[in-house]
Amino acid sequence: MYHSVGDCADDPYRVTVAPDRLDAQLGWLRRRGLRGVGVAELLAARARGGGRDLVGLTFDDGYADFVEHALPCLRRWGCGATLFVLPGRLGGENAWDPLGPRKPLLSADGIRRAAAEGVEIGSHGLTHVDLTTADDATLTAETTGSRTLLAELTGGAVTGFCYPYGTVDARAADAVRAAGYGYACAIDPGPLTGPYALPRVHVGQNDTPVRLLLKTRLHRLRRRAAAGV
Ligand SMILES: [Zn+2]
């Protein structure tokens, strides 16, 4: 689970990795015989009984720096990824993070550029609200509404959803399924773990090869496996 790729000098939420760090992390994956892909591609491979050499890479929020810094790096290492964007904040900024530096978000053109390079575009909701505290109308707008907007924007079906803040409950997961998505990413969904609450691991600027190896090993202990995935 990545977010922003750029200058990480002022990064209170630990959402940023420097481009050279991302480059080193993807190189580490490749040297271990692994390859980063979008989550839809990973799940399709797993459904066919394969995918053991694949790692799902996700970039949340749709920061503008994805096109400038992450795309060239992904291209260099032959990796894919899923980019979870906010169609209610196109060309806006990360106003939901009050303490951190303002970071610009991709415009519609930027999202199309990423899609044209093979990046899977998924929804992060409309505006980055916690779905577990949203009223019914907001929940529908954030799930169904964002999927409709993204399908218009990209010209293709949108299968992936990612819960803002990683927070999910049964009601939010049901809304995501009812909206027509095929899967959804959480962070540490506990008993809800499954195709509509996939666990992920934060990868940050401090993650050197040694730490990545430890995280890979610890993941099996920290998160329950998603049955049927
Ligand atoms: Zn987010």
Side-chain angles (χ1 to χ4, degrees):
M1 175 178 67
Y2 291 98
H3 290 79
S4 173
V5 183
D7 178 8
C8 46
D10 180 16
D11 189 33
Y13 296 99
R14 296 171 58 237
V15 294
T16 312
V17 294
D20 60 346
R21 179 64 79 192
L22 176 64
D23 197 72
Q25 291 166 343
L26 296 185
W28 177 82
L29 274 185
R30 294 299 259 157
R31 281 191 299 280
R32 295 176 60 79
L34 301 169
R35 187 168 66 87
V37 293
V39 178
E41 183 177 342
L42 172 67
L43 294 178
R46 294 294 290 263
R48 294 190 300 267
R52 295 285 157 191
D53 58 339
L54 303 180
V55 176
L57 299 180
T58 61
F59 292 80
D60 290 12
D61 303 335
Y63 292 105
D65 56 31
F66 181 86
V67 166
E68 188 182 351
H69 295 309
L71 259 187
C73 194
L74 290 165
R75 203 184 298 128
R76 189 156 49 245
W77 290 105
C79 289
T82 303
L83 178 65
F84 290 114
V85 301
L86 296 155
R89 290 190 187 271
L90 297 176
E93 55 185 23
N94 59 334
W96 63 88
D97 279 340
L99 298 178
R102 296 277 71 87
K103 285 172 177 276
L105 303 174
L106 288 168
S107 64
D109 276 349
I111 293 170
R112 283 191 206 101
R113 248 180 93 185
E117 297 250 6
V119 171
E120 179 195 0
I121 306 298
S123 171
H124 200 26
L126 277 178
T127 54
H128 212 281
V129 300
D130 181 346
L131 296 187
T132 64
T133 58
D135 62 33
D136 287 349
T138 304
L139 184 58
T140 302
E142 294 285 330
T143 54
T144 304
S146 70
R147 184 162 187 256
T148 304
L149 285 176
L150 279 183
E152 284 168 8
L153 194 157
T154 61
V158 179
T159 60
F161 187 85
C162 174
Y163 302 100
Y165 309 101
T167 53
V168 53
D169 58 13
R171 174 173 162 267
D174 285 348
V176 167
R177 189 183 293 111
Y181 295 96
Y183 73 87
C185 288
I187 298 174
D188 189 5
L192 287 174
T193 298
Y196 286 91
L198 294 167
R200 293 182 297 165
V201 180
H202 172 270
V203 179
Q205 178 64 12
N206 295 332
D207 287 319
T208 57
V210 172
R211 281 178 54 106
L212 286 176
L213 191 61
L214 275 173
K215 280 187 163 177
T216 307
R217 300 260 159 88
L218 285 173
H219 185 60
R220 292 172 182 84
L221 305 174
R222 286 173 165 170
R223 307 278 198 272
R224 64 177 76 194
V229 171

